Amino acid sequence: MQNENPLNYLFVDEESINYREALEKYVYRWKWFVLCAIIAVISAYVYLRYTPNEYKVSTTILVADEKNGSLSSELSAFEDLGLLGGSTISIDNEIGLLKSKSLMERAVKEVGLNVGYYGEGRVRTTELFQQKSPIKINFFAKDSVFYNLDTTFYVQLKSATNFILKGSDGNQISEHIFGENIATSMGNLVITPTKINTLSNIKEVLVVISPLKRVVDNYANKIEIELLYKKSSLIALSLKDEIKIKAQVLLNTLVRQYNNDAVEDKSLMSNNTNDFINQRLIIIENDLSKVDKGVEEFKTTNKLTNITSEASLVLQTNAALEQKILELNTQLKLSAYVADYMASNSEGLIPANLGLADVSISASSLQYNTLIIERNRLLKSTRKQNPIIINLESQITELRASIAQSLLNLNSSLNIALNDAVQQENRLNSKITSVPKQEREFRDIQRQQQIIETLYLYLLQKREENAISLAATLPNAKIIDAADGSDIPVSPKRKIVYLAALMLGFVVPFLFFYIVFLLDNKVQTSKDIEAVVKAPILGEIPKCENGDKVVVNNEEKGAVAEAFRMLRTNIAFMLSNVKNENKTIFITSTVGAEGKTFVAVNLAAVLALSNKKVLLIGADIRKPKIKEYLNAPFDNKGLTHFLMDTSLKVKDVIVRNEDAKFDILHSGIIAPNPSELLMNGRFDEVLAYGKEFYDFVIVDTAPIKVVTDTLLLSYTADLFVYVIRANYLDKRLLEIPAKLYSDKRLKNMAVLLNDVNIEKGFGYGYGYGYGYGEDIPKKPWWKRIINK
């Protein structure tokens, strides 16, 4: 029956996690964390050293919106003349146009970004832009073939006037002088230096020609366009690039190209009106010349030098009527001109502000022209199937039909009014019976002359007004802040990279050791044993760094020797309830190589130091190892000889070890039938002899899991020391000693943890040595960590 043992105080009932102990496992390996952190920081430095910086450049523009009062006060004076359209601008549409690839393509072409110049360094290639490049290449054939090229070549600067052209493989093609016309497969080109008569520090330039579409897609994806404030017309454009000045040039060019397109769109209506007026003026000039010539011929034929005022009274009465007829004829001519123009030009703009009497026609014409311009502008960035385009087409068709119908209605009303006026004039003319025939004919000719002259002067006035409107055309965007950015790169962020590297330097080893600990299924500490095996813990034997087999003697004061002295004390407690004066201690383990022979030999040595008579028996007759540990003469016969030969006495097979001061009964030869030998009763004679003549009999037995030899002898033991080796035995095998203890198969069983690395902080921290003796020299830290 298992009695209460003083060593039960070693049991610790602790269900909660010991965070300090968990932390100590990582703190013990602090040098790995420091090393990984240093490597990570160095890697971050190398990364930052050879990673190109990116700079952010931004520009702010104000999109003109007449509805929001963006029209300048100087141009508002022209609103009275109807020279400026009243259309508003959609901010979303303008942002869409600024993001369009067609606009970006024109900007990229203008800057020439599809041709790049690079200087090759020792580690990476650096792009050269504008004045940083020692050369400039002028391509003459910039057609679709050129913009689809994807090639590279080298230009090696030989002197201030000569250079060598190399292919993409670095082989020389030809040598030329700067400014020479060179015929290549890419077309004719001329290479000129950026600095005349100056030899650049860059000796070789890599020229990269990329497909235009790839470059456009790249910058279209990189550019960011957003509305600064929800209820404003301020738009911010930003771009990140390795070269700050290149991003500035591209953004400024993009905004300028956008404004040029807007001015071109707005000027389209005025240009069409100007062309229409010029065409009509040519025709009217010819008509006016013919009329003037008719007047001259009439006066010459009739020999008229001065026209009398015989009918002055009638003419004075009829003056207002004639003026009305004149105005009606003018209106009819204008409506006929507009109707003819609309019939001959179904898709063009309608001349606006010609002065037709019907105000609704002028308003409809202006609205029609605005819709035409908006449709053409949107077609640059979308397709005809777009719902917005379809809606605009529908409005344009309806307005055109409405304007045509209004012109027909106006023509009809003018004809009616003109017929009425002519009838009134005829009634008055009938009264002028005294007016000579020549006077009437002259008046008809003069009337034609006045009509044509009035229309001619009217069109001249409209042409000047249209010229003013054309000159007053404003771009859509006003630049608030020109493209600029900080000299501090936005990428890579150095502080964040260093911080991330430092964190990674700690996280990586932490994860590594965490996984190692997680996958580690070896027994490491006494707590691992206590969680499964409820037997008392005798103590822990530290790892023997110097590799000695016997570590206990009078002079040795190291941690291992002190651990065996503590083991001697704990064994005394375990045997305090045993009535026999002479004690039998069995040493066993679960599997081989756990150090049971090492424990048995050194336990015998430490007991012998206390002036006790000790007999060490090598009962592991399958794989004996005592000979490897001791230098005693083992030429005599051993245990197996005694078990087989009944003529031998126990004292005949015992050897004295003078160095360790205890006696040894070694295993002898390896027998073919160990179990049967141990069961023949002769081993009891050995134990009886030992108990008679020795204070302690220490038996080194075979591993429990491997063979049954130990269980056959277990009844004779006063104490079973069950050795478990740290960082060696699988935790799943702890079920074996746990079951042996719970079933009381091993008498007075206690556990000893062997080969503990006390520097790792495992176990209870007995603090072996307490500074006794001289310190054992330590190996370099990296060797100790690698070995462990």
Side-chain angles (χ1 to χ4, degrees), residues 78-79 81-87 266 269-270 273 349-354 359-374 399 403 469:
F78 292 108
E79 286 183 309
L81 299 175
L83 304 181
L84 298 174
S87 63
K266 291 180 179 181
M269 182 175 67
S270 298
T273 302
L349 300 174
I350 298 175
N353 303 320
L354 293 179
V359 180
S360 63
I361 294 177
S362 298
S364 297
S365 299
L366 185 60
Q367 185 178 1
Y368 174 85
N369 291 336
T370 302
L371 291 176
I372 287 290
I373 292 173
E374 183 67 13
L399 277 175
I403 293 171
S469 175

Side-chain angles (χ1 to χ4, degrees), residues 12 14 21 25 517 520-535 537 540 724-735 737-738 751 753 762-764:
V12 179
E14 186 177 348
E21 181 181 341
K25 293 191 292 186
F517 297 149
D520 184 14
N521 62 345
K522 305 297 182 183
V523 175
Q524 297 288 353
T525 67
S526 298
K527 290 187 177 181
D528 296 336
I529 301 174
E530 292 170 357
V532 180
V533 184
K534 302 306 178 182
I537 306 295
E540 298 175 353
I724 296 176
R725 184 176 180 181
N727 198 29
Y728 181 80
L729 183 66
D730 195 313
K731 291 180 181 179
R732 293 170 292 183
L733 294 180
L734 289 176
E735 295 294 334
V751 177
L753 185 60
F762 297 151
Y764 296 108

Side-chain angles (χ1 to χ4, degrees), residues 458-504:
Y458 179 80
L459 290 177
L460 286 176
Q461 179 186 354
K462 289 300 177 183
R463 184 173 67 176
E464 292 303 317
E465 292 176 356
N466 188 68
I468 296 174
S469 175
L470 186 62
T473 302
L474 280 178
N476 271 9
K478 177 183 178 182
I479 299 177
I480 305 300
D481 293 321
D484 195 10
S486 174
D487 292 332
I488 301 175
V490 296
S491 175
K493 298 184 181 297
R494 297 182 175 273
K495 293 183 179 179
I496 295 178
V497 170
Y498 278 120
L499 180 61
L502 193 61
M503 293 179 63
L504 196 64

Side-chain angles (χ1 to χ4, degrees), residues 434-447:
S434 60
V435 177
K437 180 180 179 180
Q438 295 86 353
E439 184 65 23
R440 289 199 310 271
E441 292 176 356
F442 179 74
R443 294 299 297 174
D444 291 337
I445 296 172
Q446 190 177 33
R447 184 181 301 158

Side-chain angles (χ1 to χ4, degrees), residues 81-145:
L81 299 175
L83 304 181
L84 298 174
S87 63
T88 59
I89 295 174
S90 171
I91 299 299
D92 292 337
N93 288 341
E94 301 310 310
I95 292 178
L97 288 174
L98 286 168
K99 288 183 177 179
S100 65
K101 291 185 178 180
S102 58
L103 182 64
M104 180 61 73
E105 180 178 333
R106 291 193 291 275
V108 168
K109 281 184 177 180
E110 182 175 341
V111 182
L113 295 182
N114 62 312
V115 180
Y117 305 92
Y118 297 86
E120 292 186 335
R122 289 178 294 178
V123 177
R124 64 184 179 93
T125 301
T126 305
E127 183 177 359
L128 310 171
F129 186 72
Q130 290 188 351
Q131 295 302 322
K132 290 187 177 181
S133 173
I135 62 169
K136 181 181 180 182
I137 304 178
N138 298 308
F139 296 90
F140 293 108
K142 290 187 177 182
D143 51 11
S144 59
V145 176

